[in-house]
Amino acid sequence: MMGWWHSRRLRFLTACAAALLILMVLLRAVFYLFFSEVGDTVDAPAGQVWRTLSVGLRFDLRLTLLMVLPLAVLAWLPRFNLVRSRAARGLALVYLGLATLLLLLTYILDFGHYVYLGDRLNITALRFLQDTRMSTQMVWESYPVVWITLGWLALSALMVWLFARLSARFLLRDKPPIRTRSLWAGGVVVVLVLAFGLLGRATDINWENPVPLRWSDAFASGDKAVAALGLNPVLFFYDTSQLDTEPYDLEAVRRYYPMMADFLALPADRRGDLNYRRHVTVQPHRLDTDRPPNIVVVMLESLGASRVGAYGTPFDPTPNLDRIAEGGWFFEHFYVPVTGTAKSIWAFLTGIPDVAPEETASRNPLIGHQRMIVDQLDGYRKLYMVGGNAGWANLEGLLTRSIDGLELYEEGDWQSPNVDVWGISDLALFKESHAILDAIPDDQPFFAFIQTAGNHRPFTIPPNNDDFQVRDDLSEEQLNGNGFKNAAQYNAVRLLDYNVGRFMDLARQSDYFDNTLFVFFGDHNNRITTLPHMPRFQEALRLESHHVPHMIYAPKLLEPRRIREAVSLIDVMPTVAGLIGLDYDNTTLGRDIQQPAPEGDRTAFVVLREGPRPQIGAVTADHLARLNHDGEAASLHTLYSDNPEQDRSETDPDTFNHLFDLARGFYETSRYLFYDNAIRDRQSRATTDGAQP
């Protein structure tokens, strides 16, 4: 009955499948050993890791079978087939060569994507194709592209050679005698192998509705780093491209509107049909100044709270920011809604968390013209300074369309030369920005946004850094044990802090310093190691990427203050507007932190896992509710407890239900406000209601 196994075609196809599967298993091992955080910065039970890896191996088998299926068709065509036609065998080798090239390229991109963003390759990666020049240059400066390309081509060539050898060994043999009964038995075996291999399951199958293995099975552990071990980049990329991406769920928006209206303290007479606009008059807590204060916002690229001394980080990486924290308003629990530079800039300017599933909201041309508080700073000069190209992520379109009279300074406008893909150095950016601000007359208030970039791959240390000195006295073990991947990353943080200190030294000597609010915030935390100096929940609940430093510094205008409440990035501009005494319309979700929070404990919204099926959360100073975007897999966690991972939703149902609803309401409302807050033309600015005309 095993005579079918002597089939030339079947043995060739099986050998090709084995070669492809072994290749994918080896690539999975490479990912686990050299890229995964599991076993390095993430501890997970061995059983959980092996179960997730088994999911990944089944995905690899599925992709292997899918790749071999076209060969199976070519093998059993009536005349033009693998055993009778040399041309058919040549076509098979061409197919296998191209398929292997694409397979290996996908894995290479996947590894790079994970190193860069901590996520396996998915459809959101296509956003980098919209900024091809900058993305290509960053990759060139950050990775050994030549060696990677040579390795890619060499391994592909080796696989083609192997396939050619397998073709010669199995397809050119004499035809073996196989009985009909054996052929039928073999056919049944092959069909069963294909069915179970493509299904990805051999047990617990509902035969009335057999559910195939899905990418969500890899997330059974609830830990993103563990789940990454169970994904196949080719299949995961395809799966994410097929998911539903409707702009918003209007029914859900209406359902949560009363709660969100309470959250925003909307006056009763303003609670119309999905109206979020409220008029904010000059607040009693405004600063007592003779003239409108200036505003200087400094975005601290890739700087998380876990890397700032004021939050407990050892090795003194940020002495200048620490002094600013001590002398200004210091926010202990400050969170960005979604990680990523473009997403944080969007949230800061618009007051809407960037919950776009497949790309940054700034890349959507239909919503690129937004209502902003910054645009309502009448009488202010408005300046945006970035060392590189502001066209990255289509931010230039968002900025110039949404902020009237904006003065944009970017690559090509500076006297200093570029030092890497991100443009001029941060030190040069600060110096030239200061020169521009210092030249503005004293009676002219200004808003200036300075976007740093140096604390980012490729972690360039430019040659001209005044008296900055690189530290090399700390071992990699010391740095790894306290939040830094390596010395390059540690010194990049130190250099960012040094540059902030130089900027503040220059500002103190200027006429604008005494009448300026300096606003500092990190846009996100980047890849980290262990964080023994931070509260345990930061790592356990994966909040370290969202927890970033935030300080407001104005020694002549503000007394030092520590804010323990949870504050979101979207709250910064309303808070600043309240300080300067602005009379303005707020059409989004940010709130002045000096006004009471109707929900009690102030709450910040976070997206803990991005993509078309995100995991969202609502965090206070003491609790986190996290759940899938559709409300599934919800749990409540007490942050400062001995066991923050423990689900306390049943023991504290009131807190759980409250934060659950806020998280869902924030998510659904944010998606809706992308479009409701967008302006289609200049005339629509004159409308008096909050709905989009």
Side-chain angles (χ1 to χ4, degrees):
M1 294 295 292
M2 288 294 292
W4 57 269
W5 177 240
H6 296 290
S7 166
R8 295 169 293 176
R9 297 175 176 88
L10 186 58
R11 286 200 169 191
F12 172 69
L13 294 175
T14 302
C16 289
L20 289 169
L21 182 59
I22 290 171
L23 176 62
M24 281 185 259
V25 171
L26 291 175
L27 291 170
R28 185 169 296 279
V30 168
F31 176 82
Y32 177 67
L33 294 173
F34 300 104
F35 296 92
S36 173
E37 299 158 84
V38 176
D40 181 12
T41 65
V42 174
D43 292 325
Q48 190 179 87
V49 172
W50 284 111
R51 282 193 297 271
T52 307
L53 284 172
S54 73
V55 172
L57 293 175
R58 283 178 280 162
F59 276 129
D60 294 343
L61 176 60
R62 176 185 290 173
L63 180 59
T64 297
L65 295 175
L66 290 172
M67 292 178 69
V68 170
L69 280 177
L71 291 178
V73 174
L74 192 59
W76 276 284
L77 287 175
R79 291 186 176 84
F80 185 78
N81 58 53
L82 295 180
V83 295
R84 293 186 178 183
S85 170
R86 182 177 180 180
R89 292 192 291 275
L91 180 61
L93 287 179
V94 170
Y95 163 76
L96 286 168
L98 292 175
T100 302
L101 277 168
L102 290 174
L103 176 71
L104 291 173
L105 177 61
T106 303
Y107 272 88
I108 291 169
L109 295 174
D110 174 63
F111 292 166
H113 191 270
Y114 194 84
V115 166
Y116 185 36
L117 294 174
D119 287 309
R120 301 302 296 263
L121 188 68
N122 57 73
I123 194 64
T124 64
L126 293 181
R127 66 181 184 266
F128 294 111
L129 297 179
Q130 299 186 24
D131 299 301
T132 306
R133 185 185 67 83
M134 183 170 290
S135 297
T136 303
Q137 187 178 353
M138 190 277 287
V139 169
W140 178 263
E141 294 178 1
S142 300
Y143 304 100
V145 175
V146 174
W147 287 109
I148 290 174
T149 302
L150 291 175
W152 168 46
L153 296 176
L155 185 54
S156 299
L158 178 63
M159 292 297 295
V160 171
W161 173 84
L162 176 61
F163 293 135
R165 295 289 297 170
L166 294 174
S167 175
R169 178 174 180 178
F170 293 114
L171 297 178
L172 299 182
R173 297 170 56 184
D174 293 333
K175 180 180 179 180
I178 304 175
R179 295 182 178 182
T180 302
R181 288 180 60 190
S182 181
L183 285 174
W184 279 104
V188 171
V189 171
V190 170
V191 169
L192 289 175
V193 169
L194 282 173
F196 283 103
L198 294 175
L199 186 64
R201 304 181 189 277
T203 60
D204 299 323
I205 299 174
N206 181 346
W207 293 107
E208 295 182 0
N209 181 29
V211 178
L213 187 74
R214 291 174 175 166
W215 63 266
S216 55
D217 291 285
F219 287 86
S221 67
D223 189 305
K224 185 176 73 172
V226 175
L229 296 175
L231 298 174
N232 178 289
V234 176
L235 296 178
F236 188 59
F237 184 86
Y238 174 80
D239 286 342
T240 58
S241 71
Q242 303 302 304
L243 294 173
D244 185 14
T245 56
E246 289 294 324
Y248 51 82
D249 182 346
L250 189 58
E251 180 181 348
V253 176
R254 294 187 185 280
R255 183 166 66 251
Y256 288 107
Y257 177 76
M259 182 196 67
M260 296 305 297
D262 290 341
F263 178 86
L264 299 173
L266 277 168
D269 61 345
R270 298 301 306 167
R271 299 192 180 197
D273 184 21
L274 299 186
N275 171 49
Y276 297 89
R277 174 183 174 271
R278 60 268 190 206
H279 183 74
V280 183
T281 59
V282 176
Q283 295 298 299
H285 55 255
R286 65 167 295 181
L287 296 172
D288 184 14
T289 57
D290 295 331
R291 50 196 172 93
N294 306 309
I295 305 163
V296 174
V297 179
V298 178
M299 193 206 79
L300 305 166
E301 171 63 46
S302 299
L303 188 66
S306 62
R307 298 238 172 79
V308 177
Y311 292 90
T313 306
F315 308 133
D316 195 29
T318 57
N320 294 294
L321 288 170
D322 297 346
R323 283 190 289 270
I324 290 169
E326 184 178 358
W329 284 13
F330 175 57
F331 294 77
E332 295 182 12
H333 297 92
F334 183 78
Y335 296 95
V336 295
V338 193
T339 60
T341 300
K343 286 179 175 285
S344 287
I345 293 173
W346 169 279
F348 172 83
L349 292 172
T350 68
I352 307 171
D354 187 351
V355 295
E358 295 183 359
E359 57 185 14
T360 61
S362 60
R363 289 183 167 92
N364 186 338
L366 298 179
I367 60 174
H369 186 183
Q370 291 280 319
R371 295 178 175 87
M372 296 180 180
I373 294 176
V374 173
D375 190 48
Q376 300 178 60
L377 293 172
D378 295 335
Y380 276 68
R381 281 182 63 178
K382 307 174 188 74
L383 309 96
Y384 195 101
M385 288 95 157
V386 57
N389 192 321
W392 167 77
N394 197 39
L395 285 174
E396 182 175 9
L398 172 69
L399 294 166
T400 56
R401 291 175 65 189
S402 303
I403 305 175
D404 282 341
L406 179 70
E407 300 173 37
L408 179 62
Y409 294 86
E410 59 174 325
E411 187 177 77
D413 296 324
W414 307 113
Q415 297 179 4
S416 303
N418 290 347
V419 296
D420 59 19
V421 60
W422 305 117
I424 66 174
S425 71
D426 285 346
L427 181 58
L429 175 65
F430 277 128
K431 287 182 176 180
E432 295 200 38
S433 297
H434 163 72
I436 295 171
L437 301 180
D438 198 31
I440 297 176
D442 292 346
D443 59 352
Q444 171 63 67
F446 59 80
F447 168 92
F449 189 106
I450 303 176
Q451 180 183 334
T452 66
N455 184 34
H456 195 296
R457 289 181 181 275
F459 299 127
T460 301
I461 305 293
N464 300 316
N465 289 307
D466 292 352
D467 59 350
F468 174 78
Q469 297 294 322
V470 171
R471 280 189 64 177
D472 56 6
D473 58 317
L474 297 171
S475 68
E476 186 168 316
E477 182 179 1
Q478 287 176 295
L479 294 170
N480 265 240
N482 291 276
F484 295 96
K485 198 72 173 175
N486 49 41
Q489 191 178 61
Y490 170 66
N491 281 297
V493 171
R494 291 184 60 246
L495 180 58
L496 173 59
D497 178 79
Y498 173 86
N499 292 334
V500 169
R502 290 288 295 119
F503 172 60
M504 296 308 291
D505 288 342
L506 293 171
R508 287 188 183 93
Q509 300 170 22
S510 71
D511 293 333
Y512 68 81
F513 179 80
D514 289 347
N515 194 47
T516 297
L517 291 172
F518 294 90
V519 180
F520 299 88
F521 74 88
D523 62 331
H524 62 89
N525 204 354
N526 55 14
R527 295 291 297 282
I528 50 88
T529 60
T530 54
L531 305 173
H533 53 281
M534 299 296 288
R536 185 167 177 267
F537 74 84
Q538 293 285 339
E539 290 185 270
L541 301 178
R542 308 292 286 179
L543 281 170
E544 80 284 344
S545 295
H546 299 76
H547 185 211
V548 297
H550 174 41
M551 291 82 76
I552 301 178
Y553 182 71
K556 298 293 185 179
L557 304 176
L558 293 175
E559 292 293 328
R561 178 182 173 188
R562 293 180 73 92
I563 293 94
R564 186 181 182 274
E565 293 178 294
V567 176
S568 173
L569 178 60
I570 63 175
D571 298 326
V572 176
M573 274 309 302
T575 300
V576 170
L579 286 171
I580 68 173
L582 187 66
D583 186 281
Y584 67 100
D585 287 333
N586 192 345
T587 57
T588 57
L589 298 176
R591 304 177 301 172
D592 184 344
I593 69 157
Q594 297 204 85
Q595 294 179 331
E599 77 273 21
D601 292 338
R602 192 172 290 276
T603 307
F605 169 78
V606 290
V607 176
L608 298 167
R609 183 183 69 233
E610 294 186 65
R613 305 294 187 201
Q615 182 186 62
I616 60 178
V619 59
T620 69
D622 298 303
H623 294 94
L624 166 70
R626 64 181 182 184
L627 50 140
N628 291 341
H629 76 290
D630 55 4
E632 296 296 322
S635 57
L636 177 70
H637 304 271
T638 301
L639 302 185
Y640 292 96
S641 67
D642 295 334
N643 185 15
E645 299 100 322
Q646 181 179 351
D647 179 12
R648 301 177 188 270
S649 57
E650 293 186 0
T651 58
D652 191 358
D654 291 341
T655 301
F656 170 70
N657 292 329
H658 171 65
L659 294 180
F660 176 95
D661 287 341
L662 276 177
R664 290 276 289 130
F666 245 97
Y667 176 73
E668 299 296 349
T669 305
S670 296
R671 295 202 298 160
Y672 172 74
L673 283 177
F674 280 169
Y675 297 87
D676 182 69
N677 195 58
I679 300 173
R680 291 192 175 93
D681 54 53
R682 290 289 172 182
Q683 185 178 2
S684 64
R685 287 176 181 251
T687 61
T688 57
D689 59 35
Q692 173 64 43

